[in-house]
């Protein structure tokens, strides 16, 4: 009597999934806002932005940033890198909400006069909106950049306003003097659409603005001694003019999309279940020594899946 002793590894698959690793185009964008007041730095940036568009390579960008950073009064704001899908906008907001009391009105509350302040909330800071679209050949990126900056001049001036409060009974109105804030805002706006080579940088001139800078001077040694340095150190404030330039660097990257689960159809699940039953019956026939029946079941299983005995 012949017995079939070949072991079988049977896997029951009622739901199969297929991982489709697809690649999609994405763009990594790095934004910098450079503010300089030194004359040589301002002239260098002005000369750079004369070209339309002002494109730079990474090797040309590094010495320009080093030159601007050499000015102690310069300011370089670098935002986190954004990885954007094609044609999908991304936003970076570096803002604070500040409240100003701009007016006071007299209202009657519970038959009594009350002073009600008018408070306006303003968003101060910088906000970027970027949309990147790579070309079909992947060598260039179309960059749509919107930049808005709003700052307030400090200190905020106070303006006295006198309001006459009506008396509760007979008599003359009572003058009431209060102070309201009169903030003066400065805005910079940039809205450009440029084409940048992959791995390149574009410089965009945002404009000029006034800024208050602080300077210190003192004796070489005594000005370094804590508390005592207050007697040997002078501080001064001056209003200077700054140039503001945006640098946007782009780099095309490839990202893998998450695997997608594709359910197997009902017909496929039924065929798998039938194959599992054939293999189970084949193994039982082998254990009982039923050679003819085992051969018949093996032929049926191989007809459904020629690799069923190799799994």
């Amino acid at each position: 009597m012949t017995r079939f002793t070949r072991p079988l590894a049977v896997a029951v698959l009622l739901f199969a999934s297929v991982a489709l690793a697809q690649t999609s185009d994405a763009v990594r964008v790095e934004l910098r806002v450079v503010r300089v007041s030194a004359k040589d730095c301002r002239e260098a940036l002005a000369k750079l932005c004369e070209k339309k568009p002002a494109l730079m390579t990474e090797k040309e960008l590094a010495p320009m940033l080093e030159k601007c950073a050499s000015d102690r009064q310069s300011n370089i704001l670098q935002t986190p890198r954004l990885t954007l899908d094609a044609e999908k906008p991304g936003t970076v907001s570096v803002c604070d909400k500040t409240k100003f009391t701009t007016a006071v009105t007299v209202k009657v509350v519970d038959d009594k006069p009350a002073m009600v302040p008018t408070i306006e909330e303003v968003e101060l800071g910088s906000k970027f909106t970027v949309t990147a679209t790579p070309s079909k050949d992947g060598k260039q990126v179309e960059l749509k950049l919107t930049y808005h900056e709003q700052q307030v001049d400090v200190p905020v001036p106070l303006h006295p306003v006198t309001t006459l409060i009506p008396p509760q009974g007979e008599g003359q109105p009572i003058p009431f003097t209060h102070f309201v804030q009169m903030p003066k805002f400065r805005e910079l706006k940039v809205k450009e659409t440029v084409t940048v080579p992959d791995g390149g940088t574009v410089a965009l001139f945002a404009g000029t603005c006034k800024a208050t800078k602080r300077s210190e001077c003192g004796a070489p040694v005594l000005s370094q001694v804590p508390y005592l340095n207050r007697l040997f150190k002078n501080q001064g404030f001056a209003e200077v003019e700054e140039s503001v330039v945006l640098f946007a660097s782009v780099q095309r990257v490839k990202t893998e999309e998450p695997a997608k689960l594709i359910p197997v159809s009902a017909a496929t699940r039924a065929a798998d279940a039938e194959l599992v039953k054939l293999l189970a019956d084949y193994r039982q026939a082998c254990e009982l020594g039923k050679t003819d029946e085992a051969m018949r079941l093996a032929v049926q299983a191989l007809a459904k899946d020629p690799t069923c005995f190799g799994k």
Side-chain angles (χ1 to χ4, degrees):
M1 180 177 63
T2 306
R3 296 179 62 88
F4 295 88
T5 59
R6 180 179 179 182
L8 299 177
V10 181
V12 180
L13 299 177
L14 298 181
F15 187 86
S17 64
V18 181
L20 298 180
Q22 299 179 352
T23 58
S24 60
D25 288 337
V27 179
R28 182 178 293 115
V29 182
E30 187 172 2
L31 302 171
R32 299 180 180 89
V33 182
V34 179
R35 313 171 72 96
V36 294
S37 57
K39 183 178 179 180
D40 56 341
C41 295
R42 294 184 59 191
E43 291 177 353
L45 291 177
K47 184 177 180 180
L48 172 65
C49 294
E50 288 179 354
K51 300 181 295 182
K52 300 294 182 180
L55 300 177
M56 309 172 63
T57 62
E58 186 176 356
K59 293 182 179 179
E60 295 173 340
L61 176 63
M64 178 60 69
L65 294 178
E66 290 179 1
K67 181 178 180 62
C68 295
S70 63
D71 178 17
R72 296 183 59 184
Q73 295 185 344
S74 65
N75 184 8
I76 300 178
L77 170 64
Q78 182 168 342
T79 66
R81 294 181 180 179
L82 298 178
T83 301
L84 307 175
D85 292 332
E87 300 181 358
K88 293 185 178 180
T91 302
V92 177
S93 180
V94 189
C95 299
D96 290 327
K97 292 184 178 180
T98 306
K99 296 181 179 180
F100 299 96
T101 302
T102 56
V104 177
T105 57
V106 180
K107 294 185 178 180
V108 179
V109 180
D110 297 332
D111 297 331
K112 296 181 180 180
M115 308 298 294
V116 180
T118 300
I119 299 177
E120 296 183 7
E121 190 176 66
V122 182
E123 201 172 52
L124 301 178
S126 304
K127 188 174 183 179
F128 306 82
T129 301
V130 185
T131 304
T133 305
S135 60
K136 294 182 179 179
D137 57 5
K139 295 181 179 180
Q140 294 180 330
V141 177
E142 183 185 65
L143 198 65
K144 296 180 180 179
L145 176 63
T146 302
Y147 173 72
H148 179 247
E149 177 185 328
Q150 183 170 240
Q151 302 292 345
V152 63
D153 291 339
V154 290
V156 178
L158 298 177
H159 182 68
V161 177
T162 302
T163 304
L164 296 178
I165 301 178
Q168 296 184 2
E170 296 181 357
Q172 298 294 328
I174 302 174
F176 177 78
T177 301
H178 51 87
F179 292 85
V180 296
Q181 295 175 295
M182 301 181 64
K184 184 179 180 181
F185 300 102
R186 295 176 279 106
E187 286 188 325
L188 292 176
K189 294 182 179 180
V190 175
K191 188 175 182 180
E192 293 286 346
T193 300
V194 293
T195 301
V196 185
D198 182 24
T201 300
V202 62
L204 301 173
F205 184 71
T208 60
C209 62
K210 299 288 185 179
T212 302
K213 297 293 184 178
R214 186 184 69 173
S215 60
E216 294 183 356
C217 61
V221 178
L222 297 177
S223 60
Q224 306 298 324
V225 180
Y227 301 105
L228 186 61
N229 58 1
R230 300 176 184 178
L231 302 175
F232 301 94
K233 184 169 60 176
N234 294 326
Q235 292 184 355
F237 295 88
E239 190 178 68
V240 297
E241 187 173 2
E242 288 184 334
S243 296
V244 183
V245 178
L246 309 181
F247 291 92
S249 303
V250 299
Q251 184 179 7
R252 182 172 171 267
V253 295
K254 287 187 177 181
T255 59
E256 289 191 358
E257 295 181 353
K260 297 180 180 179
L261 297 179
I262 302 179
V264 179
S265 63
T268 304
R269 292 200 298 270
D272 290 341
E274 186 178 354
L275 178 61
V276 169
K277 186 178 184 304
L278 286 173
L279 293 174
D281 294 342
Y282 165 78
R283 184 169 57 180
Q284 185 177 7
C286 292
E287 293 177 355
L288 297 176
K290 298 179 180 180
T291 307
D292 295 338
E293 185 178 356
M295 290 292 295
R296 180 179 60 81
L297 294 171
V299 171
Q300 293 180 5
L302 290 172
K304 292 184 176 296
D305 185 3
T307 64
C308 63
F309 290 103
K311 293 182 179 179

